[in-house]
Amino acid sequence: MSERWARLALQTYRWAGMAAYPFMGIYVGMRATRGKEQHDRRGERYGKPSATRPLGPLVWVHAVSVGETGAVSGLIGRLRAHDIPVVLTTGTVTSAALARDRFGDDVLHQYVPLDLKPAVSRFLNYWQPDLAVFAESEIWPMTILELGARRIPQVLINGRMSDRSFKRWQNRLALAESLFENLSHVAAQTEKDGERFRALGARPVTVSGNLKADVPVPSVDPGTYAQMQARLDGRPVWLAVSTHEGEEMVAARVHKMLKKRWPGLLTVIVPRHPTRAEELAAAMGGMGLSVARRTVDKMPAAASDIFLGDTIGEMGLYLRMGKIAFVGRSLTAEGGQNPLEPAMLGCAVLTGPNLANFEEIYGRFCEARAARVVDDEMMLAKAVNFLLGNAALCDAMAEAGRGVIADMSGALDRTWQTLSPYVQPLVVKARLAPGEAALDGGEDAARASQGGLIGW
């Protein structure tokens, strides 16, 4: 693709988006009916603010989902420690709930606007960020171009580029270069990621490591933890966490295979999307299994076969329930999920073979014998059975996992150093700002948030 065709493609994308914009209400409305949007906040998808912008400098941080939100939490903490206001955008209901639980009122949260010029322009016109920071692999053409046109620095942190994405961009190299040249800096997770971003035209690119290795150990309420431990009372437990469609039923069938061999066995399943819990509970009940849900039953009963962790922000509780954790989106789905939190809390990690998004991390874990790859349902059952009977091996895998995490640490400091040239002027500006007060237009923001989808 030549440079001329790349410009034409971007113009076509721009105009197609503007043409589609009036009809996006149907799309957003359908997502809302499936629980993927908040009905009362749909206007944010069109760039309509539902909060008041403070005076002074502002950093826009975007993290698409739960994992990315956790990864940027340390960075957001440092920005707030320097009194720099942050507007955090995410793309999912679960990540919005995590942001609320983790940051409270200290950080302004909005749903990310649709990557359509009217929505992005409205968002930028109101929030007027001094710096935009995107996490991992968030490449939205219209957003990047609008930020570039306004000369707002935009930095990609914790950047990663999967095999599939890299091949797609390589086939559209001129288009990639037209977009990536707008990035002020890319802080990549690995050397491999860094090389790929450079090949696609990003400059400068540095390697900072994985921010997820520097997140705090997931917390737990001591009283709830003590109550849970009393309920477990020495029962054999294993976990299937961050599971995607199909993997929950695999875990349920594994439980059925093992329950006779391990009397009192409890399988803890934490779906990536908790909204599916009711459907899953019904399906597992149809298999003859007794299912307890965190949102309904609070704790597993003595007769419970399955405990569904269908809440947000309680991974610290779930991962402390057992010493064996299968990490999902790797067996019936693709890409994998991050094993760092299970490893932090002393779990021996099992995973399926589809790990395209986390090859480097799992490579380290497998090399250190902190994780094992299972190819299918039967292999998972055998691995869980083996580890349930080998506490010493579980402990050795957990210790190896902690060692891998220790070796990976330091990404937050390196990322902060990368952002320093953009942040330091904002620190000075924040000290000069006359406090947190509404900019002109704050009342307009309130009216816009109440107006729902009226007046797109």
Side-chain angles (χ1 to χ4, degrees), residues 121-151:
S121 293
R122 183 182 287 123
F123 179 90
L124 294 178
N125 286 342
Y126 180 78
W127 291 104
Q128 299 177 32
D130 297 88
L131 170 66
V133 179
F134 303 123
E136 298 206 6
S137 56
E138 287 298 281
I139 306 298
W140 293 104
M142 192 50 53
T143 301
I144 289 175
L145 293 176
E146 285 297 298
L147 286 166
R150 296 166 190 246
R151 300 187 182 279

Side-chain angles (χ1 to χ4, degrees), residues 235 255 259 264-266 288-292 300-306:
R235 293 177 65 177
H255 179 92
K259 65 180 295 186
L265 178 66
L266 179 67
L289 298 174
S290 174
V291 181
S304 297
D305 293 299
I306 307 291

